Amino acid sequence: MGRPYGLLRAGYPYLKTLGMRRITNFPLDIAIGDEGRLYILCRNDGAALIRVWSIDDAERLTDDLVGIGSYGSGEGQYTWPVNIIRDADENLYVSDEALHRIVSFSREGEYIGSWGEAGEAEGQLNGPAGIAFDADENMLVVDSLNHRVQKFSREGEFIGGWGSFGDGPGEFDMPWGVTVDELGYVYVVDWRNDRVQKFDSDGEFVFEIGSSGDGPGELNRPAGVAVDRFGDIYVADTGNNRVQLFNEHGRYVQRFIGDSTLSRVARDYMLTNAYPNRLRDMADLEGEKRLRAPKNVRVDDDLMFVPDYRSYRVQVYKNEAIPLDEHQISEPLRAPTLATV
């Protein structure tokens, strides 16, 4: 199914919150599994795991929490993980910036293997960060400290790559996140250059989004990027504590700054703990609902998932955009104004 001619952007409301501090400590990224399964990558100093969770959250906190992997440098471990993605079989892949490797697991948590060699030659890695699959399930790896993007097979066989240090088109300064849309275009978060660059599947530069700042469409150390089925581009604007939405041509549309309520499992926990209830009663709840340093953003169908890194939760929004055909929306205007309907 192709992209629509236009969109009626009816709204993009907050839907729910998932997790809480005892479950999703410092969530960095999230992979969307089948049948409502979620794989939430959590990381802090001296601690890392993949929390297996559900889109329905949980009724209460129990000791039966499921995790995949652990902190360390051995088989099935990671020291400074950055991104998590899944393949068509729901196997999971995690980039490890500190160990310069990619680690893989089955959805049941069984260790499959790892690959990667530290260095700066072709096929070597120095601080791998963002990872994404293309349509052939070859993996794009953002080789952050080598300031480039490299392509590998799932098993780690080097295929090719592009990029070098700098701030011009096709150049990078510590790139971070990456995604591939359904048309094969590659989007790379250029962290220190405060922008997102779009490339074709061969690594040819198409356009860029963003500049340094905190205004609409400006970025401050962005970390993650996603593209939905309409071609809209989402950027985790980490330093500005928000997610920004751009249309497929890179025009700024809106921002998300956080609207969190307590998750289902957090509500049950609070009802049995008097002291945190008193603290919440005394808190500034306006600030409590906001995003704090989101490191990535993921979209799945009409849902947007934002790992709220410093608030130990995932905020979920629902896209209510309606596709339009050429008879339902006029041609682009030269001097547009928006009137309230």
Side-chain angles (χ1 to χ4, degrees):
M1 183 178 179
R3 292 179 178 176
Y5 183 80
L7 289 175
L8 171 56
R9 299 183 184 275
Y12 214 135
Y14 164 81
L15 181 64
K16 65 166 73 175
T17 292
L18 304 172
M20 57 179 285
R21 183 163 190 168
R22 293 168 180 259
I23 299 169
T24 49
N25 287 352
F26 297 99
L28 271 161
D29 196 10
I30 183 169
I32 316 300
D34 298 334
E35 300 174 341
R37 287 184 294 273
L38 304 175
Y39 304 93
I40 303 171
L41 180 63
C42 302
R43 183 200 75 196
N44 195 19
D45 293 339
L49 64 81
I50 301 167
R51 174 67 67 215
V52 182
W53 205 237
S54 168
I55 185 63
D56 297 322
D57 209 41
E59 290 186 4
R60 59 185 54 86
L61 180 63
T62 71
D63 295 328
D64 299 326
L65 296 175
V66 178
I68 296 175
S70 61
Y71 178 84
S73 58
E75 290 188 349
Q77 294 184 312
Y78 26 73
T79 299
W80 202 246
V82 177
N83 263 189
I84 181 170
I85 59 175
R86 55 159 292 186
D87 64 17
D89 297 321
E90 210 169 324
N91 296 316
L92 306 172
Y93 300 78
V94 178
S95 59
D96 191 332
E97 186 180 32
L99 299 178
H100 313 292
R101 69 185 186 186
I102 308 299
V103 186
S104 57
F105 304 88
S106 71
R107 80 177 195 190
E108 292 82 15
E110 296 178 357
Y111 171 67
I112 296 175
S114 65
W115 52 265
E117 178 185 6
E120 58 183 29
E122 285 188 345
Q124 294 181 324
L125 300 171
N126 187 4
I131 52 177
F133 283 122
D134 65 14
D136 298 320
E137 288 207 331
N138 293 316
M139 185 184 297
L140 281 299
V141 179
V142 174
D143 190 8
S144 185
L145 296 180
N146 283 326
H147 313 289
R148 63 188 180 187
V149 176
Q150 298 199 78
K151 182 185 290 189
F152 300 85
S153 70
R154 284 189 301 177
E155 294 75 27
E157 180 182 351
F158 175 72
I159 297 173
W162 70 88
S164 59
F165 177 76
D167 58 9
E171 297 177 332
F172 304 108
D173 190 350
M174 292 183 65
W176 202 258
V178 64
T179 196
V180 182
D181 69 18
E182 84 285 4
L183 302 178
Y185 289 102
V186 180
Y187 304 75
V188 182
V189 179
D190 195 359
W191 188 71
R192 276 195 170 172
N193 284 326
D194 291 326
R195 64 183 180 181
V196 174
Q197 297 192 65
K198 178 180 178 179
F199 302 90
D200 68 17
S201 59
D202 296 320
E204 293 296 319
F205 175 81
V206 178
F207 66 67
E208 67 179 60
I209 296 171
S211 59
S212 298
D214 59 8
E218 295 177 332
L219 302 170
N220 181 10
R221 297 299 185 260
V225 61
V227 178
D228 68 16
R229 60 194 175 97
F230 302 131
D232 282 344
I233 304 163
Y234 303 71
V235 181
D237 188 10
T238 307
N240 286 324
N241 300 301
R242 64 188 181 185
V243 170
Q244 296 199 72
L245 172 63
F246 302 83
N247 74 1
E248 64 179 319
H249 306 295
R251 181 185 65 81
Y252 171 79
V253 176
Q254 68 179 102
R255 64 174 185 164
F256 302 87
I257 59 174
D259 300 275
S260 185
T261 55
L262 285 176
S263 67
R264 183 184 179 196
V265 68
R267 296 178 195 204
D268 179 77
Y269 173 81
M270 295 287 284
L271 288 174
T272 60
N273 290 270
Y275 180 66
N277 277 333
R278 176 55 63 194
L279 292 179
R280 185 170 178 84
D281 183 65
M282 298 168 61
D284 172 10
L285 295 184
E286 182 68 25
E288 287 294 313
K289 66 184 181 180
R290 299 306 181 203
L291 293 169
R292 293 196 292 169
K295 305 289 189 185
N296 210 348
V297 56
R298 299 290 189 182
V299 291
D300 184 64
D301 250 348
D302 293 327
L303 297 182
M304 174 177 67
F305 297 81
V306 185
D308 195 354
Y309 182 68
R310 296 196 180 277
S311 293
Y312 325 110
R313 63 195 176 195
V314 176
Q315 296 200 40
V316 186
Y317 290 77
K318 183 175 176 58
N319 193 351
E320 296 181 350
I322 301 170
L324 302 174
D325 63 31
E326 63 271 23
H327 304 294
Q328 295 173 304
I329 185 172
S330 67
E331 293 289 331
L333 304 177
R334 292 185 178 180
T337 58
L338 180 63
T340 301
V341 177

